[in-house]
Amino acid sequence: MPTPSPAAPPQARRMLTVALLVPFVVALALWAFAWPAARNAPRDLPLGVAGPAHATAPLQKQLQQREGAFEIHRYADEAAARAAVEDRTVYGAVVATGQGPKLLTASAASPVVAQLLQQAVTAGAPDGARVTTVDVVPAPAADPRGAALGSSVLPLAIAGVAAGSLVTLRGLRGLRAAGTLVLAAALVGLVAAALAHSWLGILTGKWWAEAGVLGLSALAVAAAVAGLAALLGPAGIGVGALLMVLLGNPFSGVTSAPQLLPEPAGLIGQLLPPGAGGSLLRSTAFFDGAAATGPAVTLAAWAVIGLGAVLVGARRGRSAPPATASPRVREPAPVG
């Protein structure tokens, strides 16, 4: 009588695991990408108000009626408000003038926010008043809606995940792995800057600074993936890919703004390399490095911690005791 195969239960468990894992990943992807898009609205969006107090009071009151939408910053005059927009302290500013409200925007910071502010200020203006809009820091002519810049986040994340995965799967460890990650990220930065700045014209800052930002963004992702793999094994690659692609990309806010995403998606996105890289790239390409410190520190921390994990994982592998080989049994020599 044939005995049942002992491999049947494990095979059944594998089939069930795959059948349940696929819809879970699909649900996670839909939640991560669709939820922020469906709940897109201003939340404490930094906005300036400039001019004499008696003239700006009605404007400020009108804006504050949308509770929680705007974080109002007061400025004495238009020059101070314009400087705040250029320093990325606020996304825009409303200046009270004798001819009516004047709106200062920065479409380079976010075309979506610039349009939103124009609609909000126009709706809140007195009847018959004409709102004059001045784009203080305009988006580049090659990418007026910021679509191309927003599309650059996912390829950089994928490049970083690919670099970290290849280093792990090719068996590179320790300093060799770290050196390969740094070299690959540097080349990614050069290629990306050549495409985005020199060819497409969607970046208008200093070429080498942009290449450095793009390379650092790729390194932060690659080092994180390789570091997780060094500590957790091959499963770390999957964890890193889910973290950087399924969460980092939709939570980055590059296509709109972090303050337009539902909480805490905007905050989480800025703590992950895709979001921090997108913010740093905007500051470098369009604002001469204004407000670059925070995202630069975030990317550097991911890169340093990830590379450190790669080195620690290699050291742990060397210090592990070798597996003891089973004693070899000699067969007795044949007699005669």
Side-chain angles (χ1 to χ4, degrees), residues 167-263:
V167 164
T168 302
L169 297 176
R170 296 298 294 176
L172 297 175
R173 299 290 183 267
L175 290 175
R176 291 183 179 181
T180 303
L181 291 173
V182 172
L183 178 60
L187 294 176
V188 167
L190 294 176
V191 171
L195 293 174
H197 184 116
S198 304
W199 180 42
L200 297 176
I202 63 174
L203 302 178
T204 58
K206 297 179 181 178
W207 197 95
W208 285 105
E210 293 167 354
V213 171
L214 293 166
L216 181 59
S217 300
L219 178 61
V221 176
V225 172
L228 287 170
L231 298 178
L232 304 178
I237 296 177
V239 173
L242 289 174
L243 187 64
M244 299 301 169
V245 177
L246 281 187
L247 288 184
N249 184 56
F251 287 8
S252 66
V254 177
T255 57
S256 56
Q259 291 83 359
L260 297 186
L261 301 180
E263 297 178 354

Side-chain angles (χ1 to χ4, degrees), residues 53-67:
H54 68 277
T56 59
L59 289 172
Q60 187 169 343
K61 182 179 179 181
Q62 184 71 27
L63 292 171
Q64 288 177 337
Q65 286 182 353
R66 301 178 62 176
E67 186 175 355

Side-chain angles (χ1 to χ4, degrees), residues 60-159:
Q60 187 169 343
K61 182 179 179 181
Q62 184 71 27
L63 292 171
Q64 288 177 337
Q65 286 182 353
R66 301 178 62 176
E67 186 175 355
F70 300 106
E71 180 185 278
I72 303 299
H73 296 244
R74 291 277 298 120
Y75 298 101
D77 51 26
E78 180 179 346
R82 184 183 291 265
V85 173
E86 294 173 346
D87 291 339
R88 300 200 71 185
T89 304
V90 293
Y91 280 92
V94 186
V95 183
T97 67
Q99 293 74 32
K102 182 177 183 179
L103 175 63
L104 306 179
T105 63
S107 58
S110 172
V112 175
V113 171
Q115 184 178 7
L116 183 150
L117 292 179
Q118 189 171 7
Q119 294 172 352
V121 174
T122 301
D127 294 337
R130 180 182 177 183
V131 178
T132 304
T133 303
V134 178
D135 199 348
V136 177
V137 187
D143 189 25
R145 297 183 179 180
L149 180 65
S151 301
S152 66
V153 174
L154 182 58
L156 283 176
I158 293 176

